Amino acid sequence: MLDWLSDNRALIAAALIILILVTFIISIVIGKRQTRLRAKDEVFGDPQRTRGGWYWALCGVCSILLIWFYFSWGVGRAYFPQAANEMCQIAKLDEAVSPIAASLPISSRYFKSTLLVARNSDQLVRLQSTLPQDAFTEAEQTELNELIDQTRQLIVNSSNPENLNQEAQAQLLDLSAQINELSAELRGGYDNFTPTEEALAQPKWGVTTTEIPILPTTSKGMLFDQVAASAESIASSFVKVRNKIPANDTLIADIKERISVLKEANEAGSFDERTAETRNAYVKSVDRIFKRLDDGLIFPAESLGVVNTAMTDLESAKQEARGSLGIIDAIFFPGAGVVKSKTQCTEQGSARWLPKPTDVVATFGQLANPDVEGGGGYRGFPLLWWKWLPVADVVGFLTPDWIADVWPGEYARHAADGTIEPNTKDKILAFAQGETDLGSIPMLDGHIWDSLFRVLVALFLGIVLGVPLGLFMGVSKFFKSFFDPLIELYRPVPPLAWAPLILTIFGIKDDGKIFLLFMVAFAIMVISARTGASGTQLSKIRAAHSLGSTDRQIMWNVIFPNALPEILTGIRIAIGVCWGTLVAAEMLAGTTGVGFIENIARTVSDYELIWVTILIMGILGLLFDLMMRWVIDKTIPWRGKG
Amino acid sequence: MADLVCNELNMTFTNPQTGDAVEALKNINFNLSKGELLSVLGPSGCGKTTLLNLLAGFLNPTSGEASLGGKHIDGPGVERGMVFQQGALFEWLTVSKNVDYGLRMKKTDAATRKELVEKWLDIVGLQGFGDTPTYQLSGGMQQRVALARCLVNDPDVILMDEPLGALDALTREKMQSLVLELWKETGKTIMIITHSVEEALLLGERLFVMAPRPGRIHKEYRLPFAERGLSESLRDIKQDSHFGEVREEILTMIWNMEEEIMGRA
Ligand SMILES: Nc1ncnc2c1ncn2[C@@H]1O[C@H](COP(=O)(O)OP(=O)(O)OP(=O)(O)O)[C@@H](O)[C@H]1O
Ligand SMILES: [Mg+2]
């Protein structure tokens, strides 16, 4: 069932999108009608006007989903499930001809030869103008100037069509003809192509981590795949063509000679260190430019014209063969489309970092699957599940070992026959170390639970210690003055700034994170309890005194309930802040937790997983807040009515 | 025997910033016998609340002594019940929990508590409101709860600081009757501070008019209206010509004091 859902996610998305679209339109219609109905009996500015309006909420949710579906290419995949595969084949052709296109004014503005001429000429001019006069003798300077002029002559010769290497010309003509054949092939249509069994057996788009199936699954794709294969060999021949012209042969020999003479002079002469360096560097620069020009990569512009024409024609043949796919690409696949890199085709644009809603759900399903052996969970740990927790573990955690140490008597020694008879002290030690079998209790388990557990324990400690301290600080000069500086000094530091220190001291396990969160929760609870306590009306306290309460009774019966609204608000804030801090702390260190999952997902750029963790955190945060709001409504109905 | 006695009571406040001293009370001497009903009147700032706070034990006098039944007043105590202007009710408790607060602090057993709460709610006219949260009550009802909460502790003296100040005229009149009724029925010593001359006349067997700067008792009256209020309607008393005369006299007195303050300022 789940596999079927997973395989047919495009189909499901197609149905969902229609449903969402219809809901979207209906909600707008209802909203419009309701607005018209109520237009008269509501005054602008009346807060009652914001009541209700579920249809607009629905409309908002639908628009978010639609935007998500669209920009994640979810719409495109739902209605054109083959599009990405075909775009991949076209991308293959683009990749194959890219070496040719790169040297023509197709993928850049100029011929590559033009750029080479421009760059090398510029550099020669600069070199000539920066000739270091104090490093070379007069004669050498003349020599170098001549050398540079000769090098420039290489460019001039190569650019002249009359000098064009005959063999190269023949090769270029031949390649153009081959490219034209490709164009013809593309124009010839794809009716007689059928995709291979192997291609059809590939997993569908988006089902595996490779995303887009690479072998062509449609006849159109077959055509492009085949053309791309031929184009690849043409391109590899193209990059080997060189314009080595006879007119340059003597020049080259001469330049080589002059350079080696200069180099020898550099080595033989006894110059001071700086001069030697300058001389060497200069000669080397000249040599570098010369070697670049010696490669025969500069062609006269006219000679490449035929290739350029052939390539332009190939491009238009490609567009023709692509047909409607071009429009679909432009409309439904925002961004740079599909790009083929070495081994795979990838989605470029918003879809690269924004996974499709259905894929996020599928990834979530995979994570939520408690069957860890069956590939569920994350890193061998379920997302949220339960397990049998031995009671002894809890007892061992809570009971300190020194209880056994201070017990009167000695630990058992091994007897003469090599046996050990444990006495009471040993048994207490075993108990304190959690080695006594006390049965098991069901306990929650998994990444989410680990995160929750850390927050809850820290929050519990923060409340239990922070609230009493805060209350006393609200009513006692000693407590206020003694603890105020301590708390005010550590509180303003962002919790994450403490993290490196605390994780070092307490270790990267739960202890460190719990302590970090405890610090956060503690400060918030102290401050809110204190505000609540010091906000108690004097008349209430006086009334309580006159009614015969002791100080302790006033603390518990007047000051505490009076501070309760502030305390609960404090808890609500503390939960939010702890949750935020926890995720960041888990990203810093640890091996479980929601933040841990996101951190790993980040390092491997698994955007689906990143989004899943973001959604989990958002939903849990929302649940916390709703729960606290409910608790506040239920426990302190008198709030603000005193 | 349970006499409330003030002997040469002085209270001076010192402003901690400027060091200025304010003589809030100077040479206060009076003796209130058990069962007497005293109302205190005076212009704003003449030290009425300060006097009450001294008697309640919330403040310590600079010099002099206050005692109740021969016992020196030092700190708040159950024998001196307080009713504040704004209920000072515990809004997180229900009406009956508010009323039996004092009993719970004394650890009285539940049955007695229940009985007493019902009795007092009945007397102040709040029968059936026991389980209502106090924030759902009207202002007048809240003051009734405050009265019941104070009376349930059976104090010797009841000290009230403008207890009816925040109520509307009609509710106020009803509450005035209630105070008189309680006075008669319980025979408690009651000291009531008010801003309203009429209220002071109606709710004062004895009446102190205080004067400011330094705060002192300017004039004392002994009045028949409270006694009459037990049998007659309060509205009729207000029509009485003697009532009118005294009222005019006191009003002029306070008016002159206010004028003096203004002139000095
Ligand atoms: N805690 C205090 N510190 C300094 N001065 C005070 C303090 N409490 C009261 N005073 C001063 O003592 C004087 C008497 O104040 P008090 O509150 O007793 O007046 P009152 O008669 O109750 O006035 P009102 O009718 O407005 O309630 C005032 O001048 C006031 O400024
Ligand atoms: Mg006052």
Side-chain angles (χ1 to χ4, degrees):
Chain A
M1 173 67 184
L2 284 174
D3 284 345
W4 184 88
L5 285 176
S6 176
D7 274 349
N8 292 286
R9 53 182 78 174
L11 201 69
I12 296 165
L16 267 179
I17 291 165
I18 291 177
L19 193 74
I20 295 169
L21 202 62
V22 170
T23 317
F24 178 71
I25 292 165
I26 290 178
S27 67
I28 288 182
V29 171
I30 296 179
K32 284 253 168 210
R33 190 175 299 164
Q34 291 286 338
T35 312
R36 217 177 313 125
L37 275 179
R38 306 258 173 100
K40 286 212 185 66
D41 48 64
E42 282 174 352
V43 187
F44 176 81
D46 177 4
Q48 290 292 322
R49 277 164 69 102
T50 61
R51 290 288 194 84
W54 56 270
Y55 32 86
W56 291 128
L58 197 63
C59 182
V61 171
C62 286
S63 36
I64 284 185
L65 284 176
L66 285 177
I67 290 172
W68 185 6
F69 264 113
Y70 177 73
F71 282 101
S72 64
W73 293 10
V75 177
R77 187 174 73 182
Y79 300 108
F80 309 99
Q82 301 294 349
N85 182 259
E86 286 181 356
M87 283 156 75
C88 172
Q89 311 312 318
I90 299 171
K92 280 184 191 170
L93 177 56
D94 286 337
E95 193 206 19
V97 297
S98 65
I100 308 179
S103 52
L104 298 173
I106 290 176
S107 47
S108 78
R109 293 199 176 88
Y110 300 96
F111 280 111
K112 195 169 161 201
S113 295
T114 313
L115 290 174
L116 279 173
V117 168
R119 194 168 93 216
N120 288 313
S121 304
D122 277 356
Q123 285 183 358
L124 286 173
V125 169
R126 204 172 317 134
L127 211 55
Q128 222 157 10
S129 67
T130 59
L131 204 157
Q133 313 215 321
D134 44 356
F136 293 100
T137 62
E138 203 97 331
E140 281 171 332
Q141 286 181 27
T142 336
E143 170 77 5
L144 278 165
N145 272 324
E146 268 181 46
L147 178 60
I148 291 172
D149 285 338
Q150 273 183 324
T151 314
R152 189 175 289 121
Q153 189 59 40
L154 289 178
I155 300 178
V156 175
N157 289 347
S158 303
S159 304
N160 191 342
E162 281 170 24
N163 293 337
L164 181 62
N165 181 315
Q166 290 308 308
E167 198 188 337
Q169 178 155 38
Q171 279 173 333
L172 288 176
L173 279 173
D174 179 41
L175 288 172
S176 309
Q178 288 185 39
I179 294 171
N180 284 334
E181 270 170 43
L182 290 185
S183 305
E185 203 176 327
L186 281 176
R187 292 204 170 91
Y190 41 80
D191 293 340
N192 46 355
F193 286 105
T194 41
T196 60
E197 291 286 316
E198 192 195 354
L200 290 176
Q202 294 173 107
K204 284 187 194 163
W205 178 12
V207 175
T208 61
T209 44
T210 36
E211 290 279 321
I212 301 172
I214 197 156
L215 299 176
T217 56
T218 58
S219 41
K220 191 195 273 188
M222 286 291 290
L223 171 65
F224 276 101
D225 185 47
Q226 198 159 333
V227 170
S230 324
E232 211 162 328
S233 71
I234 298 176
S236 67
S237 317
F238 178 82
V239 295
K240 286 187 199 122
V241 179
R242 290 285 187 279
N243 184 24
K244 297 253 186 193
I245 54 175
N248 277 348
D249 285 350
T250 47
L251 254 178
I252 288 173
D254 198 20
I255 293 171
K256 270 185 183 162
E257 175 64 25
R258 280 167 178 239
I259 288 179
S260 64
V261 168
L262 277 166
K263 278 184 175 167
E264 269 163 33
N266 278 353
E267 267 163 43
S270 56
F271 306 99
D272 66 77
E273 205 176 312
R274 280 227 356 240
T275 317
E277 215 168 272
T278 322
R279 288 175 65 104
N280 275 331
Y282 195 81
V283 175
K284 224 183 236 169
S285 317
V286 179
D287 192 26
R288 197 169 336 127
I289 299 176
F290 159 70
K291 283 205 173 119
R292 236 188 265 149
L293 294 170
D294 180 29
D295 277 357
L297 283 173
I298 296 178
F299 291 82
E302 288 83 351
S303 67
L304 291 168
V306 300
V307 187
N308 196 23
T309 318
M311 282 298 290
T312 315
D313 188 48
L314 179 70
E315 182 62 26
S316 58
K318 191 183 88 183
Q319 297 294 354
E320 283 164 37
R322 200 152 74 129
S324 60
L325 195 58
I327 304 163
I328 293 171
D329 181 2
I331 297 179
F332 290 102
F333 298 93
V338 171
V339 166
K340 161 107 189 332
S341 59
K342 287 246 149 42
T343 53
Q344 60 179 355
C345 284
T346 51
E347 299 166 0
Q348 297 296 316
S350 51
R352 200 167 76 87
W353 50 265
L354 185 68
K356 299 160 193 61
T358 40
D359 291 358
V360 170
V361 172
T363 308
F364 177 78
Q366 209 177 5
L367 278 186
N369 178 6
D371 179 13
V372 175
E373 271 94 53
Y378 189 73
R379 301 262 158 138
F381 200 47
L383 197 59
L384 185 60
W385 199 232
W386 67 278
K387 65 171 181 202
W388 288 108
L389 179 73
V391 177
D393 283 5
V394 185
V395 173
F397 179 75
L398 294 176
T399 328
D401 290 358
W402 54 257
I403 287 187
D405 295 337
V406 299
W407 193 265
E410 301 264 333
Y411 290 111
R413 310 260 159 91
H414 60 284
D417 57 355
T419 58
I420 302 165
E421 186 60 43
N423 58 27
T424 321
K425 204 171 159 80
D426 292 305
K427 282 176 189 154
I428 292 171
L429 182 67
F431 181 80
Q433 290 182 333
E435 282 158 16
T436 322
D437 186 8
L438 297 168
S440 293
I441 47 164
M443 190 66 200
L444 286 167
D445 190 28
H447 287 286
I448 291 184
W449 170 247
D450 272 19
S451 291
L452 277 179
F453 177 79
R454 288 163 191 156
V455 170
L456 293 180
V457 171
L459 204 63
F460 174 78
L461 292 175
I463 293 170
V464 165
L465 297 175
V467 169
L469 180 62
L471 290 178
F472 278 110
M473 282 175 73
V475 297
S476 143
K477 188 182 285 178
F478 167 76
F479 276 96
K480 194 208 86 186
S481 309
F482 189 90
F483 289 103
D484 207 32
L486 300 179
I487 289 171
E488 287 304 322
L489 271 180
Y490 96 77
R491 189 185 61 94
V493 181
L496 280 182
W498 287 108
L501 196 61
I502 301 229
L503 295 183
T504 313
I505 300 172
F506 289 88
I508 61 161
K509 291 249 170 153
D510 280 358
D511 308 8
K513 287 178 206 111
I514 289 175
F515 189 80
L516 186 68
L517 299 188
F518 163 74
M519 279 175 62
V520 176
F522 181 72
I524 296 177
M525 292 321 301
V526 167
I527 285 162
S528 52
R530 176 183 160 183
T531 316
S534 55
T536 319
Q537 278 174 24
L538 189 57
S539 62
K540 273 178 201 146
I541 293 183
R542 286 185 163 171
H545 272 297
S546 288
L547 291 168
S549 336
T550 61
D551 290 357
R552 256 181 62 187
Q553 283 172 328
I554 287 182
M555 194 74 196
W556 180 245
N557 289 298
V558 180
I559 294 174
F560 173 68
N562 197 77
L564 201 55
E566 298 275 356
I567 292 173
L568 288 177
T569 313
I571 295 179
R572 188 173 156 194
I573 296 171
I575 290 185
V577 180
C578 279
W579 189 235
T581 311
L582 171 80
V583 169
E586 283 175 343
M587 286 179 123
L588 287 180
T591 52
T592 60
V594 184
F596 162 75
I597 301 183
E598 176 162 9
N599 191 35
I600 302 293
R602 176 181 66 87
T603 55
V604 297
S605 299
D606 188 338
Y607 293 99
E608 276 166 30
L609 206 52
I610 290 177
W611 279 96
V612 168
T613 53
I614 288 175
L615 291 180
I616 289 176
M617 285 182 257
I619 289 169
L620 283 177
L622 181 69
L623 284 181
F624 279 147
D625 206 58
L626 287 179
M627 199 181 69
M628 275 315 294
R629 269 196 250 173
W630 181 81
V631 168
I632 286 175
D633 277 356
K634 287 288 150 192
T635 49
I636 44 171
W638 70 82
R639 184 167 60 144
K641 292 169 183 161
Chain B
M1 176 54 208
D3 284 2
L4 185 64
V5 179
C6 283
N7 192 6
E8 287 298 313
L9 212 53
N10 281 295
M11 185 73 204
T12 311
F13 289 110
T14 320
N15 185 324
Q17 264 104 46
T18 60
D20 293 349
V22 180
E23 281 198 296
L25 290 176
K26 192 170 181 189
N27 294 341
I28 303 291
N29 285 298
F30 67 85
N31 194 324
L32 200 60
S33 323
K34 182 173 164 57
E36 272 188 314
L37 177 60
L38 168 71
S39 58
V40 179
L41 194 62
S44 184
C46 68
K48 303 184 294 288
T49 302
T50 309
L51 177 58
L52 204 78
N53 283 342
L54 286 174
L55 296 177
F58 300 140
L59 293 175
N60 281 318
T62 320
S63 68
E65 198 212 37
S67 63
L68 178 64
K71 223 177 103 210
H72 175 63
I73 290 175
D74 180 21
V78 270
E79 71 282 358
R80 282 158 284 133
M82 286 287 293
V83 177
F84 297 86
Q85 176 172 12
Q86 298 270 292
L89 296 180
F90 307 129
E91 71 264 20
W92 48 91
L93 300 177
T94 60
V95 168
S96 53
K97 288 273 177 199
N98 259 286
V99 172
D100 75 357
Y101 179 87
L103 302 176
R104 281 188 288 128
M105 295 306 107
K106 276 193 294 194
K107 308 230 157 50
T108 315
D109 65 282
T112 323
R113 268 183 4 226
K114 191 158 181 267
E115 196 184 313
L116 281 171
V117 166
E118 263 171 27
K119 175 184 150 199
W120 282 106
L121 284 185
D122 213 38
I123 292 175
V124 299
L126 282 178
Q127 53 275 65
F129 282 94
D131 294 329
T132 317
T134 51
Y135 59 83
Q136 288 178 2
L137 298 179
S138 71
M141 289 158 104
Q142 288 188 0
Q143 284 308 64
R144 285 165 199 259
V145 176
L147 271 174
R149 182 176 71 174
C150 169
L151 286 162
V152 83
N153 259 3
D154 196 24
D156 297 332
V157 184
I158 301 172
L159 306 168
M160 307 196 205
D161 191 355
E162 297 180 27
L164 313 181
L167 304 180
D168 65 283
L170 210 68
T171 318
R172 198 165 177 157
E173 210 172 285
K174 278 192 211 152
M175 292 294 289
Q176 288 166 351
S177 307
L178 177 65
V179 171
L180 285 178
E181 233 168 79
L182 289 172
W183 174 53
K184 177 183 150 196
E185 255 162 54
T186 60
K188 305 246 176 247
T189 317
I190 297 179
M191 176 170 166
I192 186 163
I193 288 177
T194 171
H195 257 137
S196 146
V197 178
E198 279 193 354
E199 190 168 275
L201 293 176
L202 287 173
L203 299 185
E205 210 184 1
R206 293 171 68 184
L207 164 64
F208 291 167
V209 180
M210 290 182 67
R213 306 191 188 195
R216 62 200 183 271
I217 299 173
H218 181 71
K219 187 154 188 198
E220 185 182 341
Y221 290 84
R222 279 193 175 270
L223 300 165
F225 308 114
E227 198 68 48
R228 276 170 63 186
L230 295 174
S231 45
E232 284 174 55
S233 112
L234 296 186
R235 218 160 309 156
D236 290 346
I237 299 177
K238 285 186 202 167
Q239 304 301 327
D240 189 294
S241 66
H242 181 204
F243 187 93
E245 275 166 32
V246 184
R247 183 180 58 196
E248 289 314 311
E249 184 187 327
I250 295 177
L251 272 176
T252 318
M253 196 186 302
I254 294 182
W255 199 236
N256 287 341
M257 284 183 209
E258 297 268 11
E259 206 114 278
E260 206 178 318
I261 299 173
M262 289 294 176
R264 244 192 271 172

